[in-house]
Amino acid sequence: DMVSDNRTLVTEFIILGFRNVREIELLLFATFLLIYALTFTENVAIILVIGMDYHLHTPMYFFISNLSFIDIGYTTVTVPKMLANIAIQSQTISITGCFMQLYIFFFLGSTECFLLTSMAYDRYLAICKPLHYTTIMDHRTCLWLALGCWLGGFLAPALPTAFIFRLPFCGSNIINHFFCDSPPLLELSCQDIFEIEVINFVVGTTVLMSSFILTMISYIFIVATILHIPTAEGRSKAFSTCASHLTIVTIFYGTSMFMYIRTKTIQTFDFNKTVSVFYSVVTPVLNPVIYSLRNNDFKQGMRKVLLKQ
């Protein structure tokens, strides 16, 4: 490669993190540590309670426990490294480490897209086809749907990551972000990145839009069915079973689409960092609260598990 002849190729990256706000770094450290501890505790509690209470062995809770696994992984792949950057001022990450982080982050993000779609389908069956619900959404269907979500998530980022991994990086090795995200990483390549940006855009758009459209189709049927319920009480009861899912869908897709469905990278990485914090750090701590901790069945399950001890 002609470019690398007179320039040293990069062997590691420096993750800038929130370096430009040094004076509030201790506050950021404490906040992120607290959020991470909360996320981990809440999600582990959800997995344990769902696993231990027989009454919660339903498709909805099976998907929620999968979501909790994703949320634990999602934050673990970014937050501990970010905390280490602030605490011991060690901002370097090897090229391999960087690509592992990039791949795992998008693997879990894609899996969450597909999982939210499966959950929407589950709510659609529960509200629109209540008489056939148990026969259609049996253990086998749940397992296959979950496996499909994890497999789809695993395969989705493979091609973009492989292409980025083959890029030569020379010159600057400073990633203006708190983890190895593709837009700031692509900025550092000394090769034309147009093709890779197109691949990134196509894969990202396909994953996000296909799952979003399928989720919305489920909701169109759900809303139509709810509107036909004669009593106000019946309508509110039906809506309450999918309100928490709809909340998570709105937060997740709103921030993800804003970040990744753009052909040209917007240069204000500091603004992008803030949006990234929202969906990679804040959403995983909110999901358990929105989903389970506000839910009566789950609260009863939690009481049972605690009383057993």
Side-chain angles (χ1 to χ4, degrees), residues 119 165 218 223 235 268 278 291:
M119 290 166 105
F165 193 63
S218 291
V223 169
R235 283 195 295 275
T268 55
F278 201 80
Y291 246 118

Side-chain angles (χ1 to χ4, degrees), residues 123-171:
R123 294 297 82 208
Y124 155 74
L125 288 175
I127 291 167
C128 305
K129 307 224 182 279
L131 300 176
H132 304 287
Y133 179 70
T134 45
T135 47
I136 300 171
M137 195 53 90
D138 57 6
H139 287 301
R140 234 176 117 195
T141 310
C142 285
L143 273 174
W144 279 114
L145 277 172
L147 273 172
C149 293
W150 285 96
L151 186 65
F154 182 76
L155 295 173
L159 190 67
T161 313
F163 272 99
I164 298 172
F165 193 63
R166 288 174 57 220
L167 281 175
F169 292 94
C170 46

Side-chain angles (χ1 to χ4, degrees), residues 234-294:
R235 283 195 295 275
S236 96
K237 197 178 169 192
F239 182 72
S240 71
T241 67
C242 52
S244 45
H245 178 259
L246 198 53
T247 309
I248 288 176
V249 163
T250 309
I251 297 170
F252 182 80
Y253 284 106
T255 49
S256 304
M257 284 179 181
F258 178 81
M259 276 302 286
Y260 295 105
I261 301 194
R262 302 192 303 223
T263 41
K264 190 71 196 123
T265 309
I266 291 177
Q267 294 305 313
T268 55
F269 282 124
D270 289 339
F271 180 59
N272 288 357
K273 264 191 260 190
T274 313
V275 179
S276 299
V277 165
F278 201 80
Y279 69 81
S280 63
V281 182
V282 179
T283 314
V285 80
L286 288 180
N287 282 355
V289 180
I290 295 168
Y291 246 118
S292 305
L293 308 175
R294 280 177 55 235

Side-chain angles (χ1 to χ4, degrees), residues 112-129:
E112 183 159 349
C113 280
F114 301 137
L115 192 66
L116 289 172
T117 308
S118 299
M119 290 166 105
Y121 176 62
D122 173 65
R123 294 297 82 208
Y124 155 74
L125 288 175
I127 291 167
C128 305
K129 307 224 182 279

Side-chain angles (χ1 to χ4, degrees), residues 169-285:
F169 292 94
C170 46
S172 172
N173 67 339
I174 296 170
I175 295 174
N176 186 8
H177 211 312
F178 62 89
F179 71 97
C180 285
D181 197 0
S182 55
L185 196 56
L186 287 172
E187 287 291 307
L188 303 181
S189 175
C190 43
Q191 190 177 300
D192 181 44
I193 55 164
F194 178 72
E195 279 176 26
I196 294 173
E197 280 201 312
V198 170
I199 292 167
N200 256 356
F201 178 73
V202 169
V203 173
T205 310
T206 306
V207 169
L208 276 169
M209 292 314 290
S210 62
S211 50
F212 180 71
I213 289 165
L214 288 169
T215 303
M216 287 301 104
I217 290 169
S218 291
Y219 271 103
I220 289 166
F221 284 111
I222 288 169
V223 169
T225 305
I226 290 175
L227 292 176
H228 282 103
I229 295 172
T231 64
E233 189 195 354
R235 283 195 295 275
S236 96
K237 197 178 169 192
F239 182 72
S240 71
T241 67
C242 52
S244 45
H245 178 259
L246 198 53
T247 309
I248 288 176
V249 163
T250 309
I251 297 170
F252 182 80
Y253 284 106
T255 49
S256 304
M257 284 179 181
F258 178 81
M259 276 302 286
Y260 295 105
I261 301 194
R262 302 192 303 223
T263 41
K264 190 71 196 123
T265 309
I266 291 177
Q267 294 305 313
T268 55
F269 282 124
D270 289 339
F271 180 59
N272 288 357
K273 264 191 260 190
T274 313
V275 179
S276 299
V277 165
F278 201 80
Y279 69 81
S280 63
V281 182
V282 179
T283 314
V285 80

Side-chain angles (χ1 to χ4, degrees), residues 1-36:
D1 188 55
M2 286 301 289
V3 187
S4 53
D5 286 348
N6 57 355
R7 277 194 263 179
T8 326
L9 282 180
V10 169
T11 53
E12 61 179 18
F13 294 109
I14 291 170
I15 297 180
L16 201 60
F18 297 93
R19 200 68 2 183
N20 44 354
V21 280
R22 186 81 193 113
E23 55 280 6
I24 58 161
E25 270 198 334
L26 278 175
L27 179 67
L28 279 177
F29 181 84
T31 309
F32 285 131
L33 183 63
L34 178 69
I35 291 176
Y36 181 63

